[in-house]
Amino acid sequence: MHGEFVSQLSIFVLAVFVGYYVVWSVTPALHTPLMAVTNAISSVIIVGALVAAGPEEISLAKILGFAAMVLAAINIFGGFAVTQRMLAMYKKKK
């Protein structure tokens, strides 16, 4: 039990560092494609959260799955809104 927690915590910390360095090294021209990829990743998170929230009995996994589903949905819709605003900046004015 203790070794499994340390293993998962180590993976989480490494993911935080990798994510931080990847996001901050992106040039502004690549921001919109990066947002599209993160929206796709969030949609995969929603599928995983649905699986976690699926069991009939109420458990910590079900509650965390529901929370992940809500946060990923907010991330997806917010990402699309930001992407649309950024693309509108590049449209020619009539």
Side-chain angles (χ1 to χ4, degrees):
M1 176 102 178
H2 178 68
E4 181 179 332
F5 174 74
V6 172
S7 173
Q8 291 178 356
L9 182 64
S10 301
I11 291 171
F12 176 74
V13 170
L14 287 173
V16 168
F17 281 115
V18 169
Y20 175 79
Y21 285 110
V22 166
V23 169
W24 284 110
S25 65
V26 170
T27 61
L30 294 176
H31 185 269
T32 302
L34 180 66
M35 286 299 296
V37 171
T38 58
N39 286 338
I41 292 170
S42 292
S43 65
V44 172
I45 292 171
I46 285 185
V47 171
L50 284 170
V51 170
E56 291 184 17
E57 69 279 349
I58 293 180
S59 65
L60 181 60
K62 188 170 187 173
I63 294 168
L64 291 177
F66 180 76
M69 197 168 36
V70 170
L71 292 174
I74 291 169
N75 186 30
I76 289 172
F77 294 124
F80 281 124
V82 168
T83 302
Q84 290 300 322
R85 285 186 67 189
M86 287 186 67
L87 291 175
M89 291 172 32
Y90 294 108
K91 285 186 177 178
K92 292 183 180 180
K93 307 250 181 189
K94 290 183 180 182

